[in-house]
Every structure is written in C-alpha cells, then in structure tokens.
Amino acid sequence: MSAPAPLDVGIAGAGQLARMTCLAAWPLGLRVGVLGRPGEPAVAMAAGLVEGDWRDAEAVRALGAAAGVVTLENEFVDAGALAEVQAAGTPVRPDPAVLARVQDKALQKELLRGAGLPTAPFVVAGHARELAAAGRDLGWPLMLKSRRLGYDGYGNATCADEAEAVAAFARLDGGDGVLVEGMVAFANELAAMVARTPSGGVACYPVVETVQRDHVCHEVIAPAPVAPDALARAREVALAAADAAEGLGVTGVEMFLADGAVMVNELAPRPHNSGHYTIEACETSQFENHLRGVLDLPLGDVAMRAPAAAMVNLLGSTTGPARPDVRAALAVEGAHLHLYDKAEVRPGRKMGHVTALGATTGEALARARAAAAAAGL
C-alpha cells in the first residue's frame, strides 16, 4: 500500500471551525488534516487525522511533521509547542511569537493600545487587593476576564462591586492575575473578518452586527445596520487591528460602537463565529480565504452576493441525544442549514447555524430565525 499523500494544511483542533475549513478545501484540491479524536466534528470531513489533543505538545509536533503548513482552530494552542513546529521547518500561521501575545488577553490589550487602537479602559490586577483601586479608577461595574482560555463567556465575570470582583478573581486567576476592564455603554457590537497573506494580500469582509446574550453570540446581521461613517470607521479599525496582530489567514475582530466611536473588544486569530454567514453570503467564504491566506494564495472576493444576510446559531436548550428537525428547518424558504455533527446536546452548546439571504436585513433575519426555531434544538 502506498503512503498517504502529505497534508497541505494541518489544523490544530477538530471542532466545527475545522470542519467548515475542511469542507472549503476540497473544491480547491487541498488536503487539510486535523488534530483531534475520532467522532469530533471535523474528522469525517478531513483528508487526514493526527490523533491526539491540541493541548498535548507532542501531538502538535506530530501535526507539524504531517503538514506543509499548520494553522489553528482556536487561539489556545501552546505557543511554545507551535514555535517548535516552526523551528523544525513547518510554517505556523499565525506566527507563534505573535500568537503568544494575542492568546493572553492582557498582552493582547497592550498590543492593541501600543498600536494606537481604541479599547475599553483596562488594568491588569495581579492580586485581589488591587480590585478596589481598579473599581475607583474605572468605575463599577467591572468586567473581569481570565487572561487565557476564555471564550463564549467562559472566563468572564461582570462584577457590580468589590465583593463580587474578589469572588470572581478567585475563579479566574490563572496565577498571573486577571484583566480588568471598565464597562462600555455600547450601542452595538460589531465584528469584521480580515484575511491576510504572508506576501501582503489583505481583504476585509463586510462589518456585521453581532447579537450577544450572556457573552454568547446568538445572531449576526450583515451588513451591520449602523450609519455609513460608523461602518467605514469599523472597517479601518478592523484592518489596523489585524495588522497589529500580524494576522495570517483570517483574523476575527470584535468591536464596540459607543457614542459614534469604534473600539476593539477582542481578537481571534482564526475564522470566527461572526463570519459563518460568509459561506452563502459572500463570493468567498471566510474558511476558503483562511486557507488561501495561510498558503499565501491570492485572496478571493469578499463582496456580498445579496443586499443582506443573517446568521442564527443553533444553541442547545436541552440535554441528551441531538435530534434536529432537519425537514422542518429546510422547509423555510431561503434558509441554509449547517449542522456540526455533535451527537449530544447541552444547554448553550453550539450545534449548528442557519444562514439566510434577503433584500433587507429584516427579511434575512426573519428567515434565519424561523429555520432555527424549526430545527428544534
């Protein structure tokens, strides 16, 4: 038996983001493998599997040995292990040295501030006794964030007073303190995906509005229904933020719009939930452009195919086997259903998403909401 063909790209992770990236690879003739376990969402779609865990440095090194380029499904992969992969001759994109700063939320904020980009006011508290001063300086309530491994609200806490902040600090401190942010009275939460290549190619997707509940994205509206000057400023900020982070492939830039001003909330050095709508709504999806970016191929057109689009996440509401009502969801005209092949439902777990296009954002959102409700998860 002949040896398996080498992988063009290896993804550290095997969840739904890797799944959709693998699906985007096949039409381009690209072989994309994943680091994960049998049964994870991306494995059935991948051209190869390096069995293991992205938290295991040895497994990350094995992925590097099997692939021409290594990229990420999440920003939590150990930067030191990725640096070893790159030192052994396999490019890692984004670069591990920059990733080390982005994956630490405190260092990320300092990176953005150093680039002259607006953010919420923040300090790093190394001890719970520093929280009272932070509250006096930034004003209550405060947002406390773990410096690493926080996502979808995990690792965040909104604290109304010092007692709540001290309790949250005990949960969130990983040994090097926590990021403390002043609360922003924003009117809208915005996001944009920025694709970049090593040779200098750049493309910015339309700025979208994200609807968050309990720090979890529920809906995305494209383009964001805000004033044209705010859209233009958000695009400028997203491009500058991705440049500051030396993003390669796709970088997700989350932003706030407050009193007409745009500020950066957080960066994700990978495809992002707020860019899922691009599969149907844009000429080139974020997943295809992520692959083009990390392989230094020409980037695809990011223009929208319709005046408006909306994406609604399918979030679990019960616990047990996943039994989505596919027939009912597909009966909604104009809706596109994406299921992530997760066998078990848990409250709040992302089981899939629905995208719809429309002549207006209202029309697109109504279609997407109807299909999501019909899916019944």
Side-chain angles (χ1 to χ4, degrees):
M1 180 180 293
S2 61
L7 299 172
D8 296 298
V9 178
I11 302 174
Q16 63 261 25
L17 296 176
R19 175 187 178 91
M20 288 181 274
T21 305
C22 289
L23 286 168
W26 289 112
L28 301 180
L30 298 175
R31 291 179 52 81
V32 176
V34 297
L35 171 59
R37 302 286 187 190
E40 289 191 77
V43 172
M45 308 300 167
L49 170 65
V50 174
E51 194 164 346
D53 193 304
W54 57 262
R55 301 169 187 83
D56 180 358
E58 184 175 346
V60 172
R61 289 191 290 269
L63 179 70
V69 173
V70 166
T71 190
L72 311 174
E73 184 182 50
N74 69 63
E75 57 270 37
F76 310 129
V77 182
D78 181 68
L82 291 169
E84 291 180 20
V85 168
Q86 188 148 280
T90 301
V92 177
R93 293 171 179 159
D95 185 88
V98 182
L99 177 67
R101 299 185 69 187
V102 173
Q103 65 188 190
D104 180 325
K105 289 186 178 180
L107 297 182
Q108 181 188 127
K109 276 289 193 294
E110 291 170 0
L111 174 71
L112 293 167
R113 184 164 62 182
L117 287 162
T119 69
F122 69 92
V123 296
V124 178
H127 193 279
R129 62 175 172 265
E130 299 171 23
L131 295 170
R136 285 194 302 271
D137 294 342
L138 302 178
W140 299 101
L142 294 174
M143 174 68 76
L144 269 61
K145 296 181 177 180
S146 57
R147 294 182 63 169
R148 296 176 180 83
L149 301 177
Y151 69 98
D152 284 350
Y154 298 104
N156 292 357
T158 303
C159 304
D161 54 34
E162 184 181 355
E164 289 187 6
V166 169
F169 187 97
R171 298 194 309 272
L172 301 177
D173 179 23
D176 53 0
V178 301
L179 176 66
V180 182
E181 295 180 339
M183 296 294 288
V184 176
F186 58 83
N188 306 86
E189 292 188 77
L190 306 177
M193 306 299 105
V194 179
R196 301 174 80 249
T197 72
S199 59
V202 180
C204 184
Y205 282 89
V207 175
V208 302
E209 180 176 26
T210 65
V211 179
Q212 313 275 337
R213 300 183 192 121
D214 298 323
H215 309 289
V216 177
C217 180
H218 282 241
E219 298 175 343
V220 172
I221 301 164
V226 299
D229 60 337
L231 287 177
R233 178 58 182 151
R235 184 179 188 276
E236 291 174 1
V237 168
L239 284 165
D243 181 65
E246 299 179 38
L248 293 174
V250 164
T251 301
V253 184
E254 297 179 86
M255 296 168 281
F256 295 132
L257 178 63
D259 294 327
V262 176
M263 63 182 67
V264 182
N265 179 23
E266 291 183 356
L267 302 178
R270 52 168 172 78
H272 192 268
N273 192 182
S274 57
H276 291 355
Y277 78 98
T278 63
I279 297 173
E280 283 82 27
C282 295
E283 293 293 341
T284 311
S285 76
Q286 67 162 345
F287 301 102
E288 181 176 332
N289 263 341
H290 184 66
L291 291 170
R292 292 188 186 210
V294 300
L295 290 168
D296 206 13
L297 297 171
L299 295 172
D301 187 356
V302 297
M304 289 183 64
R305 293 170 168 163
M311 188 280 300
V312 175
N313 275 326
L314 299 178
L315 302 173
S317 59
T318 60
T319 300
R323 296 190 181 93
D325 193 334
V326 173
R327 179 179 294 274
L330 295 181
V332 178
E333 183 178 359
H336 301 268
L337 177 66
H338 296 259
L339 296 174
Y340 302 155
D341 198 24
K342 297 179 180 179
E344 294 294 321
V345 181
R346 296 192 300 270
R349 190 182 195 195
K350 291 177 180 174
M351 304 299 295
H353 72 269
V354 173
T355 301
L357 310 184
T360 66
T361 54
E363 179 181 73
L365 188 56
R367 288 174 175 170
R369 284 174 173 171
L377 287 165

